[in-house]
Coordinates of all heavy atoms in Angstrom, one line a residue:
S20 N 118.5 -31.6 110.5 CA 120.1 -31.8 110.4 C 120.5 -33.1 110.0 O 119.7 -34.1 110.2 CB 120.7 -31.2 111.7 OG 120.5 -32.2 112.6
L21 N 121.7 -33.2 109.5 CA 122.2 -34.6 109.2 C 122.2 -35.5 110.4 O 121.9 -36.7 110.3 CB 123.6 -34.4 108.7 CG 124.3 -35.7 108.1 CD1 123.4 -36.4 107.1 CD2 125.6 -35.4 107.7
D22 N 122.6 -34.9 111.7 CA 122.7 -35.7 112.8 C 121.3 -36.2 113.1 O 121.2 -37.5 113.5 CB 123.2 -34.9 114.0 CG 124.7 -34.6 113.9 OD1 125.3 -35.3 113.1 OD2 125.2 -33.7 114.5
D23 N 120.3 -35.4 113.0 CA 119.0 -35.9 113.3 C 118.5 -36.9 112.4 O 117.9 -37.9 112.8 CB 117.9 -34.7 113.2 CG 118.1 -33.6 114.4 OD1 118.7 -34.1 115.4 OD2 117.7 -32.5 114.2
R24 N 118.8 -36.8 111.1 CA 118.5 -37.9 110.1 C 119.2 -39.2 110.5 O 118.6 -40.3 110.4 CB 118.8 -37.4 108.7 CG 117.8 -36.4 108.2 CD 118.1 -35.8 106.9 NE 118.5 -36.8 105.9 CZ 119.4 -36.6 104.9 NH1 120.0 -35.4 104.7 NH2 119.5 -37.4 104.1
I25 N 120.4 -39.1 110.9 CA 121.1 -40.3 111.2 C 120.5 -41.0 112.3 O 120.5 -42.1 112.5 CB 122.7 -40.0 111.4 CG1 123.3 -39.5 110.1 CG2 123.5 -41.1 112.1 CD1 124.8 -38.9 110.3
D26 N 120.2 -40.1 113.4 CA 119.6 -40.6 114.7 C 118.3 -41.3 114.4 O 117.9 -42.4 114.8 CB 119.4 -39.6 115.7 CG 120.7 -39.0 116.3 OD1 121.7 -39.7 116.2 OD2 120.6 -38.0 116.9
Q27 N 117.5 -40.7 113.4 CA 116.2 -41.3 113.0 C 116.4 -42.6 112.4 O 115.6 -43.6 112.5 CB 115.4 -40.3 112.2 CG 115.0 -39.3 112.8 CD 114.3 -38.2 111.9 OE1 114.2 -38.4 110.7 NE2 113.7 -37.2 112.4
R28 N 117.5 -42.7 111.5 CA 117.8 -44.0 110.7 C 118.2 -45.1 111.7 O 117.7 -46.2 111.7 CB 118.7 -43.7 109.7 CG 119.0 -44.9 108.8 CD 117.8 -45.1 107.9 NE 118.1 -46.3 107.1 CZ 117.2 -47.2 106.7 NH1 115.9 -46.9 107.0 NH2 117.4 -48.2 106.0
I29 N 119.0 -44.6 112.7 CA 119.5 -45.7 113.5 C 118.4 -46.2 114.5 O 118.3 -47.4 114.7 CB 120.7 -45.1 114.5 CG1 121.9 -44.9 113.7 CG2 121.0 -46.0 115.7 CD1 123.0 -44.2 114.3
T30 N 117.5 -45.3 114.9 CA 116.4 -45.6 115.8 C 115.5 -46.7 114.9 O 115.1 -47.6 115.4 CB 115.7 -44.4 116.2 OG1 116.6 -43.6 117.0 CG2 114.4 -44.8 117.1
H31 N 115.3 -46.3 113.7 CA 114.5 -47.2 112.7 C 115.0 -48.5 112.7 O 114.4 -49.6 112.8 CB 114.3 -46.5 111.4 CG 113.5 -47.4 110.4 ND1 112.3 -47.6 110.5 CD2 114.1 -48.2 109.4 CE1 111.8 -48.4 109.4 NE2 112.9 -48.7 108.8
I32 N 116.3 -48.6 112.4 CA 117.0 -49.9 112.2 C 117.0 -50.7 113.5 O 116.8 -52.0 113.5 CB 118.5 -49.7 111.7 CG1 118.5 -49.1 110.3 CG2 119.3 -51.0 111.9 CD1 119.8 -48.7 109.7
L33 N 117.3 -50.1 114.6 CA 117.3 -50.8 116.0 C 115.9 -51.3 116.2 O 115.7 -52.4 116.7 CB 117.8 -49.8 117.1 CG 119.2 -49.5 117.1 CD1 119.5 -48.4 118.2 CD2 120.1 -50.6 117.2
G34 N 114.9 -50.4 116.0 CA 113.6 -50.9 116.2 C 113.0 -52.1 115.4 O 112.3 -52.8 115.7
K35 N 113.6 -52.2 114.2 CA 113.2 -53.3 113.2 C 114.1 -54.5 113.4 O 113.6 -55.6 113.2 CB 113.5 -52.9 111.8 CG 112.5 -51.9 111.3 CD 111.2 -52.6 110.9 CE 110.4 -51.6 110.1 NZ 109.2 -52.3 109.6
T36 N 115.3 -54.5 114.0 CA 116.1 -55.6 114.1 C 116.6 -56.0 115.5 O 116.3 -57.1 115.9 CB 117.5 -55.4 113.3 OG1 118.1 -54.2 113.7 CG2 117.1 -55.2 111.7
V37 N 117.2 -55.0 116.2 CA 117.8 -55.4 117.5 C 116.7 -55.6 118.5 O 116.9 -56.5 119.3 CB 118.8 -54.3 117.9 CG1 119.4 -54.5 119.3 CG2 120.0 -54.2 116.8
V38 N 115.7 -54.7 118.6 CA 114.7 -55.0 119.7 C 114.0 -56.2 119.6 O 113.9 -56.9 120.5 CB 113.8 -53.7 119.6 CG1 112.6 -53.8 120.6 CG2 114.4 -52.4 119.9
P39 N 113.6 -56.6 118.4 CA 112.8 -57.9 118.3 C 113.9 -59.1 118.7 O 113.4 -60.0 119.3 CB 112.5 -58.0 116.8 CG 112.2 -56.7 116.3 CD 113.4 -55.8 117.1
M40 N 115.1 -58.9 118.3 CA 116.0 -60.0 118.7 C 116.1 -60.0 120.3 O 116.1 -61.2 120.8 CB 117.4 -59.7 118.1 CG 118.5 -60.7 118.4 SD 120.1 -60.3 117.7 CE 120.4 -58.9 118.5
F41 N 116.3 -58.9 120.9 CA 116.4 -58.9 122.4 C 115.0 -59.4 123.0 O 115.2 -60.2 123.9 CB 116.7 -57.5 122.9 CG 118.1 -57.2 122.9 CD1 118.5 -55.8 122.5 CD2 119.1 -58.0 123.0 CE1 119.8 -55.4 122.5 CE2 120.5 -57.7 123.0 CZ 120.8 -56.4 122.7
N42 N 114.1 -59.2 122.5 CA 112.8 -59.7 123.0 C 112.7 -61.2 122.8 O 112.2 -61.9 123.8 CB 111.6 -59.1 122.3 CG 111.3 -57.6 122.6 OD1 111.8 -57.2 123.7 ND2 110.6 -56.9 121.7
A43 N 113.2 -61.7 121.8 CA 113.3 -63.1 121.6 C 114.2 -63.8 122.5 O 114.0 -64.9 123.2 CB 113.7 -63.5 120.1
L44 N 115.3 -63.2 122.7 CA 116.3 -63.7 123.7 C 115.8 -63.5 125.1 O 116.0 -64.7 125.9 CB 117.6 -62.8 123.6 CG 118.5 -63.0 122.4 CD1 119.6 -62.1 122.4 CD2 119.0 -64.5 122.4
I45 N 115.2 -62.6 125.4 CA 114.6 -62.4 126.9 C 113.5 -63.6 127.1 O 113.5 -64.2 128.1 CB 114.0 -61.1 127.0 CG1 115.1 -60.1 127.2 CG2 113.0 -61.1 128.2 CD1 114.6 -58.6 127.1

Side-chain angles (χ1 to χ4, degrees):
S20 71
L21 180 60
D22 288 343
D23 291 338
R24 289 178 42 212
I25 291 170
D26 288 347
Q27 289 173 356
R28 186 67 182 150
I29 290 171
T30 302
H31 174 76
I32 291 170
L33 290 176
K35 287 277 193 177
T36 57
V37 176
V38 171
M40 180 184 63
F41 278 145
N42 288 339
L44 286 172
I45 290 168

